Amino acid sequence: MGTDWPNVLTAGAVDQAGEETSFSSFGKSVDVHANGFEVDSTLPGGERMKCSGTSMAAPNVTNLAAKLLALDSTLTVAQVTDVILRGAERSVDGRINLINPRRSVELLQATKAKSAAPTSAPPTGSADHTPPRTRARGAAPAGRTFGAADGVR
């Protein structure tokens, strides 16, 4: 992790192909990487030019954070940071941890779906008429087994 500050993500720059650039830091000092090479930018007065640098990569990470907050405005800074970090894809050599907006959104949606899933009350009895308190905790009623379809792993 790049920093020990829970509310800060350090951003490094990669090119459009996700490869290292000559002007950015890599490795443990950087939390995530984003495109920071030849980013189309608008200057005061409306002139456009391509700019490169970590100052071009950081807005891409900020954009992802803003999109996640737009999808769920109840997220804390720590939750946004966690989703971005879990969604990022680390290179084989470990030097690059490239943000993946699609994967981050999928992780957020999966987390939301999981927390919104209804929870059922424990059964008060079963078809085999075994009183609930005498059945071993987590044991299935006679003739019933639990598996992946029941959410048990």
Side-chain angles (χ1 to χ4, degrees):
M1 189 130 195
T3 65
D4 289 332
W5 302 327
N7 60 338
V8 174
L9 276 175
T10 55
V14 293
D15 64 18
Q16 294 92 337
E19 300 296 325
E20 291 186 18
T21 58
S22 62
F23 52 81
S24 185
S25 296
F26 295 89
K28 293 181 181 181
S29 65
V30 180
D31 292 313
V32 292
H33 292 84
N35 180 30
F37 183 73
E38 295 185 356
V39 176
D40 194 33
S41 304
T42 305
L43 301 174
E47 183 181 347
R48 297 173 70 90
M49 68 181 288
K50 295 195 180 289
C51 297
S52 298
T54 55
S55 59
M56 297 290 106
N60 283 307
V61 179
T62 303
N63 183 29
L64 175 54
K67 288 177 179 177
L68 294 171
L69 286 167
L71 292 170
D72 185 350
S73 62
T74 66
L75 291 173
T76 65
V77 171
Q79 290 169 321
V80 171
T81 300
D82 178 64
V83 170
I84 292 172
L85 289 172
R86 286 189 302 124
E89 297 176 346
R90 186 156 302 275
S91 63
V92 175
D93 66 3
R95 289 174 50 90
I96 298 172
N97 197 28
L98 187 62
I99 63 168
N100 183 330
R102 179 171 293 163
R103 185 164 177 226
S104 293
V105 168
E106 289 170 354
L107 286 168
L108 176 61
Q109 290 170 336
T111 301
K112 286 175 65 173
K114 186 177 178 181
S115 65
T119 56
S120 59
T124 57
S126 63
D128 67 359
H129 305 292
T130 305
R133 296 193 195 283
T134 61
R135 190 178 323 131
R137 185 172 195 177
R144 173 91 163 97
T145 59
F146 290 120
D150 299 299
V152 178
R153 296 178 186 215

